Amino acid sequence: MLHLSPHNHPSPQPPSDKVRKARKIQAWWRGTLVRRALLKAALSAWIIQCWWRKILAAQLEKRRLEALHWMTQETRACVTIQSWVRMLIIRQQYWQLRCAAHIIQVSWRWYNCHTRGFFEGSYELAGNQLSLQLDIFLGSQVCRISDCISLALKN
């Protein structure tokens, strides 16, 4: 490469046409080298930026999936707790209704027994004879039934 500069000449003469053309070629070449270096630096920076954006996007996606996973677990836990609480409330209501129905049934049976009547009886078995005596109480009325039934016994 020809390196000519005005400081190499002892006398201040205007540069020759050959020197001017050489300087022009050197300037063009230096500009090309600088543009090439800048292009390579810009391309390298762009590659690094793309890589970094990809890393950031992957990290963001990972955080989003973790948040989604935790939210799903929390929702599932809430639904489970809610279902258990609802079950306990329904079970408690069921047992209250069952207890109320039992009280109503017992009261109704007692009332029915005392208003409709009840019966008492006794029996005696002697040989092949069955003696029955039944007393049926209907309010203030009493009905007595006595009977003797002969039984056919097989030998």
Side-chain angles (χ1 to χ4, degrees), residues 6-38:
H7 303 291
N8 292 346
H9 294 285
S11 64
Q13 286 181 320
S16 69
D17 191 37
K18 193 175 181 181
V19 172
R20 267 188 277 134
K21 288 181 181 178
R23 284 184 184 165
K24 199 171 192 178
I25 292 172
Q26 287 177 346
W28 172 81
W29 182 247
R30 284 188 195 120
T32 302
L33 290 177
V34 167
R35 281 190 295 279
R36 207 183 277 173
L38 287 175

Side-chain angles (χ1 to χ4, degrees), residues 37-108:
L38 287 175
L39 182 62
K40 184 175 180 183
L43 185 60
S44 297
W46 181 73
I47 290 171
I48 291 170
Q49 288 172 352
C50 288
W51 171 80
W52 184 244
R53 285 186 193 116
K54 181 180 171 186
I55 295 296
L56 287 179
Q59 288 177 347
L60 183 65
E61 181 67 13
K62 183 179 176 185
R63 276 191 240 127
R64 188 186 71 79
L65 289 175
E66 286 175 358
L68 184 64
H69 177 73
W70 280 107
M71 190 176 79
T72 304
Q73 283 186 334
E74 286 178 359
T75 303
R76 189 176 295 140
C78 288
V79 168
T80 302
I81 290 170
Q82 288 171 351
S83 70
W84 273 91
V85 168
R86 286 188 193 113
M87 179 192 68
L88 291 175
I89 290 171
I90 295 296
R91 186 176 283 176
Q92 184 179 15
Q93 290 173 350
Y94 168 76
W95 281 105
Q96 286 174 346
L97 291 174
R98 189 167 183 242
C99 184
H102 179 70
I103 290 170
I104 292 169
Q105 287 173 350
V106 167
S107 299
W108 178 253

